[in-house]
Amino acid sequence: MQKLTLILALFMIACQKEIKLPPSKIPQKVVVNCLFSPAKPWDVFVSLSTDAANSVPPIVENATVTILKEGQFWETLTYKANGEYIGSSFPQANHHYSIEVKVPNFETVTATDSVPSAVKIQDAFFTARKVTNTEGTPLFQQTILFKDPLLEQNFYQIYGAFDYYLVTDIWGVFYPFYNVSSYCLSDEAVKGQTISFVTTTTITERPAVFTDSISGTRTIYLYSLSPTHFKFVKTGHIQTVNNFEGIDTWGSALAITEPQNIYSNIQGGLGIFAAYNSDTMVTRYIK
Amino acid sequence: MNKTILLSLFCLINSYLAAQNVVISGYIYAAKTQESLIQATVEVLGTENGALSNSTGYYILHVKANDSLTLQVSYIGYATRQITLVPTASTMLNFAMEISDVATDTLLISNALSPNKQHQMSSIQLQAKDILRMPTIFGEPDVLKAIQLMPGVQAGVEGTAGVYVRGGSTDQNLVLIDDIPAYYLQHLGGFLSMLDAQSIQHINVLKGAFPARYGGRLSSVIDIRLKEGGKEKRHTTWAAGFLLAKYATDGPIGKNKKATFLATLRFTPIGPVAAVGSAIGTKGTRINGFNAYDMVLKYSLPLDENNKLSMHFYAGEDRLFGWIPNAKSKDTLQTTVQNARLSIDWHNRLGGVKWHHLYSPNLVHTITVGFSNFSSKSDFYTISRKAENNEFLASSNAGLKSGVSDIITKADWEYIPSARHQIKWGGYLTGHQYTPGISHYEVKIEDSTFTSPTQIKPIYALESAIYAEDEMALSDKCSLNAGFHVSHFLVRGKNYWGFQPRISMLYKLNSQLSLKGSFNQMQQYLHLLTTSYISFSSDLWVPPTDKVAPQQALQTAFGMAYQTKSRINLEAEIYYKRLSHQITYQEGNSFNSVNTQWEDRIATNGTGNIAGLEVLARKDYGKLTGWTSYTLSFNRKQFADINGGKSYWDTYDRRHNVNVVANYQFSPRLQLSANWTFSTGRPVAIADLNYSSAQSVGSFTGGGNKPYDFSFINAQYFSEKNSRRMLAYHRLDIGLQLIKAKKRGMRTWNLGLYNAYNRLNPMFYYYKKDGKDITLYGLTLFPILPSVSYTRSF
């Protein structure tokens, strides 16, 4: 907070000058993005990296994308559009998957990950409060209960709509995105316990980003992430925060914070191939 | 029985030596103010026999009995004195030094004992007037920024007061204020140091060849001695500049006027003005401001000829604050009134009591007891109430606190049995309390309270050390300082020991040229975790623990010192330093992780390899004085968990550094000063590639609820840490001093021009996105900046 205050003050009083640097010698890389779960068929996005002065990386339309299950060929994906390759099969829990992506004139890139079991939501409900937020919107207290398995290392992401949060246990990542928010947790401090995740939230009529309506229901998604997936989300959040979205359209203060690569398990390339599982529950309103 | 034998042996040795030599000792002080003069030179002309006065102005010299000799006493800015005598017995001889006229008033950085005759290498000495003359940012004379202009010292980020010595970080500097260590000494985010140059009498900076009496830090010793206050009459100075207003007074105190005192105060009048301005400008809806102050108090009392007592206290504090009073909001349910407050403050407080005792002319003993505290705190608080009846609705309170506190006791002895030995020994015991980032978070909504668990607790530790050293004249040409420093640290039941040998040597090839060499091992029971290139008060001071080892350094240096016939001093030194057990935040971590212990957020067992060449040419006499220095250095760090385990250029690796400092005295009323500094750009991580990266599941924003889909963000890829360089840094500062004697006292106008040719040196780089294009920009904080300040002294 202190550094952000100082940095914002600096931006207000300082001068800026364009810097020309010689281009990087790092060659272009194949980028693969795939977050997969039993809830949806295979869906992979392939593109290429670009130089640091260009924000529109080119998509790849002629890649060969192959999925392997337990080291054996499973499926070759079909090109759909805009760099997206889709399959017909669904990943399954507790299985190990690999991906191979061949792009002409580039070396083949590969990655692996395993789908974790889904941890079940025990209960989800919200109650009304008499307070409002700074915009005058009524606030509600939302509770989500789930039990962490004792003998495993688990990572969670709770998806729903929250404007405020009261994290009752361990490290959380919070980033708002069009009022859609997620919280990521590891079970290090609450192993084997029932986690009571309590937040304060708004409920308003919105476009269909939310499942809720003014009558007061909402669907909560509890994602169980693989360790690879958790590392990816954590590092992705840090790079997003470091990029200071909102200051003069988009900027990243490269020398104020330590640069942080987003974790990538793509061998020979960039991007992510990571698994998760999920459980859902429709919340109930307790008056 | 054993004690008797030892005492007899001691007397026998002393008697034997005394039969050959006698001791001339005494105090050297300024005639006008009666202030002790530290590191004044006393030489026996025509010989290599000489001594420097210590921190109380006391000197000891062994000379041959019944031999006619001429003693010469010299000190910067004072007329040299000579006295011829034939000592037949040990004599107490005090010297009152008069301020010299034009020639010596132009002296800048120097020691009256030229470097080719000094045993100590890798050192620089400064006096207050050296610092007061240098043009600086905002026109405020700055202790730490003056040190930044020395060879081997890096300045860090533009405008800040961080001091990085021979590749070391800011925590590796042992900053002593009258023997009490100080921690974060910077105002306003680091743009100004926290100590008024007006309160300083002498600064000794060591970059290497650390004598055994210093310990606890790896890279430098910045030994600051405060003034004591004049003995003859009261002096008062007040000054007003752009940023700070100052008041300083000193003089005799008490019934017999034997004691003296010093009191200084600096504060920021512009801070409250900013608060009032923001309130008026926003019609009372927002009030933002800042204030900062620092003060020094010192009291000195000579009890008798052999005993002196002194006490000192320093406090410096900064506060940034914001307040939103009574903001109203209305909705279908009610009208709500909210109050919000944000404050960020940090402070340094330290103090000590010192007793200085002469057992005999050649045996001096000093005991120091004191404390030092640094604390940093940030708080954010909001409360909501119903407008109609003030009924409580909700509140939130979040904050972060960190700091370190010490209780210190020290005992030092100095024994000079002959002209060939200066023996020092002693020890210290320090109790530490570290508060490495305690955060709290509490939200109350109606009748419910939610708090975050406080897992981080203070850490208590005990540090102790003993040392012994002897500076020996092996021959007329060769002297050796050999010693050891043994330290112990106890924390959470874990013991750490450090045996630290120290050795340095001087060999005089002739009267003008000498060669020097040193080797030392240092151990530091302290780490500083910082998340950015700007050292800030939120950086965490943490101790070694059972998981984190103390830092260590080995440094070796070789050098030469030469004085030309026209009294220009030339020095050159090469050094190599190896650091081990370094720590830093793991990639992606910072101080602001609420629920994780700091030990789990760091990479440990880092190493550093630093090598360099420093060259200095200095002129201290005449109307034109100053120096030119050049430093060539290489600084690499390596951690197993950082940068894929590969070594990388350290943040403060500046390949080339040039400083030119000049002062010209046209007349006693008019002086012109100029500094020019150049550094190779510092290493920085610039993205090598951009690419589209998935955001997390559920981040899809294309319309409709797609919990299993995701959106893309523009991601950056950095192939290697610190693989690029920022543009070279250079800057010219000019200062003009107009001095006039008034009916009562003196007045001085200081006119300054910081960054005189408006070089836009970037403080840091950042990207801006405009449509498809991403452009790299450099942010410059300090373009050309004029300054003016007025000083009145009585």
Side-chain angles (χ1 to χ4, degrees):
Chain A
M1 190 193 300
Q2 296 179 12
K3 283 213 170 89
L4 184 57
T5 306
L6 174 67
I7 291 155
L8 289 173
L10 294 178
F11 268 97
M12 281 188 250
I13 62 174
C15 326
Q16 66 180 31
K17 178 174 99 168
E18 187 174 336
I19 305 292
K20 297 278 185 200
L21 286 179
S24 170
K25 294 175 186 168
I26 304 296
Q28 194 173 32
K29 290 179 185 280
V30 172
V31 180
V32 176
N33 285 292
C34 175
L35 300 177
F36 59 96
S37 84
K40 144 177 202 180
W42 287 102
D43 190 2
V44 177
F45 292 83
V46 183
S47 58
L48 296 175
S49 66
T50 183
D51 62 83
N54 192 330
S55 68
V56 185
I59 57 172
V60 174
E61 296 179 316
N62 58 348
T64 305
V65 181
T66 309
I67 301 297
L68 292 88
K69 181 177 177 181
E70 309 298 351
Q72 305 296 318
F73 170 81
W74 185 249
E75 184 178 0
T76 298
L77 306 188
T78 309
Y79 182 69
K80 183 181 171 185
N82 294 319
E84 186 177 8
Y85 298 75
I86 57 174
S88 57
S89 64
F90 287 72
Q92 293 173 314
N94 302 310
H95 282 277
H96 186 81
Y97 292 93
S98 307
I99 189 170
E100 286 179 2
V101 178
K102 293 179 189 173
V103 176
N105 302 318
F106 289 88
E107 284 191 22
T108 301
V109 299
T110 60
T112 66
D113 202 12
S114 298
V115 181
S117 304
V119 172
K120 300 294 180 190
I121 301 173
Q122 290 180 334
D123 200 0
F125 55 89
F126 60 89
T127 56
R129 288 277 181 197
K130 292 179 193 171
V131 294
T132 66
N133 65 5
T134 52
E135 294 159 0
T137 306
L139 294 178
F140 296 80
Q141 178 172 301
Q142 181 163 257
T143 303
I144 301 158
L145 292 167
F146 58 97
K147 187 164 167 51
D148 176 65
L150 179 62
L151 298 176
E152 304 161 17
Q153 187 181 28
N154 293 92
F155 304 93
Y156 302 104
Q157 181 174 341
I158 299 170
Y159 167 75
F162 317 113
D163 292 314
Y164 303 95
Y165 69 100
L166 306 165
V167 179
T168 58
D169 39 46
I170 57 302
W171 179 84
V173 163
F174 167 61
Y175 58 94
F177 200 101
Y178 287 105
N179 287 327
V180 174
S181 318
S182 287
Y183 289 88
C184 291
L185 314 165
S186 80
D187 68 350
E188 202 171 321
V190 289
K191 195 161 277 305
Q193 298 175 33
T194 297
I195 298 171
S196 169
F197 187 80
V198 181
T199 71
T200 300
T201 185
T202 59
I203 295 180
T204 58
E205 191 160 20
R206 295 184 190 283
V209 171
F210 300 93
T211 59
D212 58 297
S213 69
I214 208 71
S215 64
T217 62
R218 172 171 298 160
T219 301
I220 299 300
Y221 296 81
L222 177 65
Y223 301 125
S224 299
L225 309 179
S226 70
T228 298
H229 196 147
F230 181 76
K231 202 167 171 182
F232 160 72
V233 173
K234 181 176 171 182
T235 54
H237 166 74
I238 289 167
Q239 189 173 111
T240 304
V241 167
N242 288 351
N243 283 351
F244 287 156
E245 287 193 19
I247 293 181
D248 220 356
T249 59
W250 187 85
S252 68
L254 297 167
I256 292 292
T257 54
E258 292 295 328
Q260 169 68 60
N261 278 325
I262 298 177
Y263 175 73
S264 170
N265 66 337
I266 308 295
Q267 300 297 315
L270 293 169
I272 189 67
F273 178 75
Y276 68 100
N277 211 326
S278 62
D279 187 38
T280 69
M281 181 174 283
V282 177
T283 62
R284 55 197 172 84
Y285 174 51
I286 300 174
K287 284 190 181 175
Chain B
M1 178 67 170
N2 286 340
K3 278 188 193 170
T4 310
I5 292 171
L6 279 171
L7 191 60
S8 305
L9 201 60
F10 182 80
C11 292
L12 194 65
I13 292 168
N14 227 8
S15 304
Y16 172 76
L17 293 170
Q20 311 291 320
N21 296 312
V22 295
V23 173
I24 300 177
S25 61
Y27 291 93
I28 303 171
Y29 55 91
K32 188 176 173 189
T33 63
Q34 308 280 299
E35 285 254 17
S36 306
L37 297 179
I38 301 169
Q39 303 270 296
T41 308
V42 185
E43 304 174 84
V44 179
L45 286 183
T47 73
E48 297 297 328
N49 193 3
L52 297 174
S53 60
N54 68 9
S55 61
T56 60
Y58 185 73
Y59 75 93
I60 306 168
L61 207 55
H62 283 262
V63 298
K64 284 189 180 156
N66 302 313
D67 262 11
S68 175
L69 55 91
T70 300
L71 284 183
Q72 175 170 285
V73 182
S74 46
Y75 192 73
I76 304 290
Y78 291 82
T80 300
R81 287 193 60 179
Q82 288 184 354
I83 180 171
T84 302
L85 66 156
V86 180
T88 54
S90 291
T91 309
M92 191 84 167
L93 207 55
N94 298 329
F95 290 92
M97 306 291 283
E98 299 285 347
I99 289 177
S100 76
D101 58 15
V102 172
T104 46
D105 267 351
T106 62
L107 290 176
L108 202 60
I109 311 283
S110 176
N111 189 322
L113 186 65
S114 58
N116 57 303
K117 293 181 184 172
Q118 271 189 70
H119 183 97
Q120 179 69 54
M121 65 183 298
S122 310
S123 77
I124 307 137
Q125 296 187 40
L126 288 166
Q127 295 176 38
K129 61 178 179 178
D130 305 324
I131 303 163
L132 292 170
R133 253 201 291 251
M134 288 187 185
T136 57
I137 196 165
F138 303 126
E140 290 300 328
D142 195 295
V143 171
L144 297 180
K145 293 206 181 128
I147 295 171
Q148 289 172 355
L149 291 170
M150 307 303 173
V153 181
Q154 297 291 349
V157 174
E158 159 90 82
T160 62
V163 170
Y164 302 84
V165 180
R166 289 186 174 175
S169 46
T170 53
D171 62 298
Q172 295 173 0
N173 303 319
L174 177 63
V175 181
L176 297 169
I177 300 177
D178 276 5
D179 289 322
I180 302 294
Y183 291 92
Y184 184 84
L185 270 182
Q186 299 176 29
H187 279 308
L188 301 175
F191 296 119
L192 208 59
S193 55
M194 258 190 179
L195 192 59
D196 185 6
Q198 205 82 39
S199 60
I200 296 169
Q201 199 212 42
H202 186 94
I203 303 177
N204 189 20
V205 180
L206 302 181
K207 303 175 289 179
F210 303 109
R213 60 188 177 272
Y214 294 114
R217 301 290 190 273
L218 301 187
S219 289
S220 82
V221 175
I222 301 174
D223 190 348
I224 299 172
R225 299 286 161 179
L226 299 174
K227 287 179 180 170
E228 291 179 341
K231 289 191 174 71
E232 277 212 341
K233 62 173 192 168
R234 179 101 171 254
H235 297 96
T236 299
T237 303
W238 62 264
F242 171 70
L243 209 56
L244 291 173
K246 296 188 270 193
Y247 177 80
T249 185
D250 68 89
I253 194 172
K255 254 190 194 173
N256 302 324
K257 307 269 184 197
K258 275 173 62 179
T260 59
F261 81 99
L262 166 73
T264 72
L265 173 68
R266 294 192 306 176
F267 62 97
T268 51
I270 197 169
V273 170
V276 170
S278 67
I280 294 170
T282 61
K283 293 180 185 166
T285 55
R286 299 276 190 277
I287 300 170
N288 305 313
F290 70 93
N291 56 61
Y293 80 89
D294 58 63
M295 60 184 284
V296 170
L297 299 170
K298 185 166 177 177
Y299 174 82
S300 305
L301 174 65
L303 298 167
D304 54 46
E305 259 193 12
N306 297 325
N307 291 279
K308 187 173 177 182
L309 191 69
S310 67
M311 293 181 270
H312 74 283
F313 174 75
Y314 164 84
E317 186 164 349
D318 282 66
R319 171 172 280 211
L320 308 174
F321 60 89
W323 182 30
I324 303 173
N326 302 324
K328 282 188 182 170
S329 62
K330 193 174 176 183
D331 62 72
T332 52
L333 292 180
Q334 66 207 350
T335 300
T336 309
V337 176
Q338 282 194 326
N339 274 272
R341 279 196 325 264
L342 165 71
S343 72
I344 300 167
D345 58 277
W346 62 96
H347 71 252
N348 264 292
R349 290 184 193 126
L350 60 87
V353 177
K354 193 190 292 278
W355 174 49
H356 179 80
H357 175 65
L358 282 179
Y359 286 101
S360 70
N362 57 354
L363 179 59
V364 177
H365 177 38
T366 307
I367 292 180
T368 308
V369 177
F371 75 96
S372 180
N373 167 255
F374 167 72
S375 174
S376 164
K377 198 169 71 161
S378 57
D379 273 304
F380 178 67
Y381 177 72
T382 67
I383 183 168
S384 301
R385 296 182 180 278
K386 269 190 190 173
E388 59 191 31
N389 59 4
N390 214 34
E391 179 187 341
F392 173 80
L393 294 173
S395 69
S396 67
N397 186 2
L400 181 72
K401 181 180 166 182
S402 68
V404 57
S405 293
D406 294 345
I407 303 283
I408 304 132
T409 55
K410 289 179 65 170
D412 300 287
W413 284 264
E414 182 178 356
Y415 175 55
I416 303 181
S418 73
R420 294 195 173 274
H421 290 274
Q422 292 181 41
I423 304 170
K424 293 180 175 134
W425 73 94
Y428 63 81
L429 181 67
T430 303
H432 297 288
Q433 176 189 300
Y434 302 90
T435 314
I438 291 182
S439 58
H440 68 272
Y441 179 83
E442 180 188 86
V443 173
K444 290 181 182 174
I445 298 182
E446 294 170 348
D447 54 353
S448 302
T449 301
F450 307 91
T451 58
S452 66
T454 303
Q455 298 176 355
I456 303 169
K457 293 180 182 168
I459 301 173
Y460 298 94
L462 202 61
E463 181 180 349
S464 58
I466 56 170
Y467 72 88
E469 63 178 86
D470 185 8
E471 186 166 318
M472 301 168 266
L474 300 177
S475 68
D476 284 346
K477 286 183 178 291
C478 182
S479 64
L480 174 77
N481 185 320
F484 62 86
H485 185 107
V486 179
S487 60
H488 173 256
F489 191 79
L490 172 64
V491 62
R492 289 183 185 165
K494 174 88 179 170
N495 288 283
Y496 286 107
W497 291 92
F499 181 76
Q500 304 162 49
R502 314 279 176 85
I503 188 162
S504 62
M505 185 176 266
L506 163 75
Y507 187 82
K508 295 175 200 170
L509 290 170
N510 52 50
S511 61
Q512 288 174 270
L513 177 65
S514 60
L515 303 176
K516 303 182 187 182
S518 69
F519 171 81
N520 46 246
Q521 183 169 331
M522 310 290 286
Q523 186 140 311
Q524 177 170 324
Y525 301 106
L526 186 68
H527 295 275
L528 181 67
L529 284 170
T530 181
T531 54
S532 79
Y533 299 97
I534 298 177
S535 175
F536 202 66
S537 61
S538 58
D539 299 335
L540 298 185
W541 296 89
V542 297
T545 65
D546 44 348
K547 296 180 190 176
V548 179
Q551 301 188 55
Q552 288 176 338
L554 287 176
Q555 186 178 168
T556 186
F558 295 97
M560 52 78 63
Y562 178 74
Q563 188 178 65
T564 68
K565 291 206 169 126
S566 50
R567 300 179 78 182
I568 293 176
N569 290 311
L570 303 170
E571 293 174 68
E573 239 178 80
I574 57 169
Y575 67 89
Y576 170 72
K577 184 195 289 186
R578 178 167 170 85
L579 302 174
S580 55
H581 301 299
Q582 303 295 286
I583 68 171
T584 188
Y585 281 114
Q586 290 166 356
E587 286 167 346
N589 273 287
S590 74
F591 67 91
N592 209 17
S593 300
V594 172
N595 294 312
T596 317
Q597 296 284 353
W598 63 270
E599 290 154 288
D600 299 322
R601 292 180 251 144
I602 60 174
T604 57
N605 290 319
T607 57
N609 285 284
I610 305 110
L613 162 71
E614 296 166 10
V615 180
L616 174 71
R618 197 174 69 225
K619 183 175 183 294
D620 298 323
Y621 299 94
K623 284 182 178 274
L624 175 66
T625 58
W627 75 91
T628 299
S629 71
Y630 168 73
T631 305
L632 170 70
S633 63
F634 302 85
N635 181 354
R636 286 189 78 85
K637 295 274 165 38
Q638 189 264 337
F639 287 84
D641 297 333
I642 304 285
N643 199 38
K646 293 182 290 183
S647 70
Y648 56 90
W649 294 113
D650 182 71
T651 304
Y652 293 104
D653 173 65
R654 300 282 185 101
R655 189 70 62 249
H656 306 283
N657 177 252
V658 178
N659 291 308
V660 180
V661 177
N663 186 71
Y664 191 85
Q665 184 163 357
F666 290 95
S667 70
R669 294 177 52 181
L670 181 64
Q671 293 183 46
L672 178 69
S673 305
N675 309 332
W676 183 76
T677 184
F678 170 91
S679 285
T680 309
R682 60 180 171 83
V684 70
I686 302 288
D688 291 288
L689 300 170
N690 276 344
Y691 67 99
S692 281
S693 172
Q695 273 199 310
S696 72
V697 181
S699 63
F700 181 73
T701 57
N705 183 32
K706 299 285 181 76
Y708 302 110
D709 289 351
F710 51 83
S711 290
F712 290 90
I713 56 168
N714 254 303
Q716 294 176 315
Y717 171 70
F718 302 88
S719 63
E720 198 168 320
K721 186 175 169 75
N722 291 349
S723 57
R724 308 281 207 113
R725 293 260 167 195
M726 291 178 72
L727 295 176
Y729 176 99
H730 53 90
R731 181 193 91 234
L732 172 69
D733 307 325
I734 300 171
L736 194 65
Q737 272 195 331
L738 304 164
I739 305 160
K740 187 174 181 182
K742 305 293 273 184
K743 266 188 192 169
R744 285 184 64 219
M746 306 281 284
R747 72 104 174 101
T748 306
W749 282 102
N750 278 294
L751 308 173
L753 201 57
Y754 181 89
N755 196 6
Y757 54 76
N758 199 30
R759 161 81 175 171
L760 295 184
N761 292 300
M763 189 181 191
F764 54 82
Y765 286 167
Y766 66 101
Y767 284 111
K768 267 174 74 170
K769 190 177 168 193
D770 183 14
K772 295 178 185 178
D773 296 324
I774 300 174
T775 309
L776 185 67
Y777 286 92
L779 189 87
T780 298
L781 196 58
F782 300 115
I784 184 169
L785 280 178
S787 64
V788 60
S789 67
Y790 179 83
T791 304
R792 194 87 166 78
S793 57
F794 306 90

